[in-house]
């Protein structure tokens, strides 16, 4: 459509240029009887070529301008139709990271005291905490609602899959919570077990829980920086206790491959307090 509009505009300006050319040619013929007329003819010829170039440029700009005005509304609608919209507008898409915690007395979604995969230190109810208001909160995005967790739908979607979480103790507690959530939809609780028969502790680098009736596993690998640590170079400052190889993934990274879902968590470790006061950074060739 843009091409057809541009062609019509170009034809209109070309027609105008031709009429101007014929008119100027007739005028130039009337001056052929004298030397002054010859000089005038040369001037008119140069002027004609200049007008022709200017006319072609104007025709191109007009064609592109008309095409832009014709096509842009459709282009804008296509963007909005695909889910991309401006922020702070009535059609803003759901941003799950922009919101706040709101009270919801239908929570919690599971009883931590009945879940065998909750670490003892994080089991507040089992440790004697009396109040339960801290359990009655859920995350509410600003412009939308997150659907309530449907354990049966999630279990079916994870059937035959492998989910891997990599990070620190925060990742481990999220891993525990996900397992406890999913266990509420499993009838035979004994069909859910840690693959190596280990208890959940912070000292173990690898933990994996298998949901045998759904043929999937949820695994956790402790790797707070995600990269390899190394020895301190000879000339390093005394405050450097260890180094990080930014060009090398953690030596357990081969265990992460072939996962269907891979979730990393390392952000809170990359701050000045943990990096420059405690750790040294080892770059290639240092």
């Amino acid at each position: 459509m843009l091409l057809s509009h541009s062609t019509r505009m170009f034809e209109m300006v070309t027609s105008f240029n031709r009429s101007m050319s014929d008119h100027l040619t007739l005028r130039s013929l009337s001056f052929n009887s004298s030397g002054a007329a010859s000089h005038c003819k040369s001037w008119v010829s140069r002027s004609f070529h200049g007008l022709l170039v200017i006319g072609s440029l104007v025709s191109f700009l007009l064609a592109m301008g008309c095409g832009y005005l014709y096509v842009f509304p459709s282009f804008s609608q296509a963007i909005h139709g695909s889910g991309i919209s401006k922020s702070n507008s009535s059609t803003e898409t759901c941003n799950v990271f922009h919101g706040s915690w709101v009270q919801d007395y239908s929570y919690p979604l599971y009883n931590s005291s009945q879940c065998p995969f909750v670490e003892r230190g994080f089991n507040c109810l089992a440790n004697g905490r009396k109040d339960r208001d801290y359990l009655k909160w859920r995350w509410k995005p600003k412009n939308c609602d997150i659907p309530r967790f449907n354990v049966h739908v999630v279990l079916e979607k994870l059937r035959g899959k492998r989910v891997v979480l990599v990070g620190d103790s925060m990742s481990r507690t999220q891993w525990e919570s996900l397992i406890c959530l999913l266990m509420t939809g499993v009838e035979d609780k004994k069909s859910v077990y840690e693959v190596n028969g280990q208890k959940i502790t912070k000292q173990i680098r690898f933990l994996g829980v298998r949901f045998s009736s759904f043929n999937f596993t949820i695994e956790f690998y402790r790797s707070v920086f995600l990269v390899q640590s190394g020895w301190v170079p000879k000339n390093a400052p005394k405050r450097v206790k260890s180094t990080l190889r930014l060009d090398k993934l953690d030596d357990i990274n081969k265990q992460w491959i072939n996962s269907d879902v891979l979730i990393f968590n390392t952000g809170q470790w990359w701050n000045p307090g943990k990096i420059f006061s405690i750790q040294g950074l080892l770059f290639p060739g240092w």
Side-chain angles (χ1 to χ4, degrees), residues 112-285:
S112 60
S113 295
Q114 297 176 356
C115 182
F117 298 99
V118 175
E119 293 179 63
R120 182 176 180 180
F122 293 99
N123 194 341
C124 298
L125 296 178
N127 290 332
R129 182 165 179 169
K130 301 300 183 181
D131 68 290
R132 300 196 177 192
D133 288 342
Y134 70 97
L135 299 172
K136 309 295 184 179
W137 295 87
R138 66 176 174 84
W139 180 253
K140 171 67 173 67
K142 181 179 180 180
N143 295 312
C144 57
D145 285 308
I146 299 176
R148 189 178 178 87
F149 186 83
N150 189 321
V151 63
H152 299 291
V153 171
V154 176
L155 284 171
E156 286 299 329
K157 288 185 177 294
L158 292 179
R159 186 182 291 275
K161 306 293 185 181
R162 181 185 176 218
V163 180
V164 174
L165 285 81
V166 183
D168 55 7
S169 59
M170 185 181 297
S171 292
R172 189 177 66 252
T173 54
Q174 291 174 343
W175 171 80
E176 297 170 15
S177 182
L178 177 58
I179 294 170
C180 294
L181 278 170
L182 295 175
M183 283 191 69
T184 62
V186 178
E187 293 183 5
D188 183 8
K189 308 300 183 185
K190 293 183 179 180
S191 66
V192 183
Y193 56 89
E194 206 285 322
V195 294
N196 293 318
Q198 301 180 112
K199 292 184 178 181
I200 313 302
T201 64
K202 64 181 180 180
Q203 287 79 18
I204 301 176
R205 290 202 73 188
F206 166 74
L207 293 163
V209 170
R210 180 167 180 77
F211 286 71
S212 57
S213 57
F214 290 89
N215 189 32
F216 74 85
T217 58
I218 302 179
E219 304 170 14
F220 166 73
Y221 292 87
R222 179 172 174 79
S223 178
V224 298
F225 288 106
L226 307 183
V227 294
Q228 290 184 12
S229 59
W231 298 102
V232 179
K234 293 182 179 180
N235 298 324
K238 292 182 178 181
R239 64 185 177 87
V240 177
K241 305 302 181 182
S242 63
T243 58
L244 296 175
R245 288 297 304 267
L246 302 184
D247 60 331
K248 299 288 185 181
L249 282 174
D250 197 322
D251 54 6
I252 61 172
N253 74 87
K254 293 182 179 179
Q255 304 297 323
W256 310 340
I257 63 177
N258 296 326
S259 58
D260 297 287
V261 181
L262 183 57
I263 305 170
F264 291 112
N265 172 35
T266 184
Q268 67 166 331
W269 292 85
W270 295 89
N271 61 68
K274 288 185 171 65
I275 291 294
F276 300 107
S277 297
I278 302 175
Q279 303 280 342
L281 297 180
L282 180 58
F283 294 91

Side-chain angles (χ1 to χ4, degrees), residues 64-113:
M64 291 302 296
C66 292
Y68 176 82
L69 293 175
Y70 181 84
V71 172
F72 183 75
S74 300
F75 180 71
S76 178
Q77 291 175 2
I79 291 179
H80 288 285
S82 63
I84 302 175
S85 58
K86 297 180 180 179
S87 59
N88 300 323
S89 66
S90 59
T91 59
E92 183 177 3
T93 56
C94 181
N95 182 357
V96 296
F97 302 105
H98 186 198
S100 59
W101 291 97
V102 297
Q103 283 190 319
D104 189 332
Y105 290 97
S106 66
Y107 275 51
L109 299 180
Y110 67 89
N111 188 330
S112 60
S113 295

Side-chain angles (χ1 to χ4, degrees), residues 33-45:
S33 58
S34 65
S38 177
H39 176 75
C40 185
K41 178 181 178 181
S42 176
W43 178 84
V44 169
S45 178

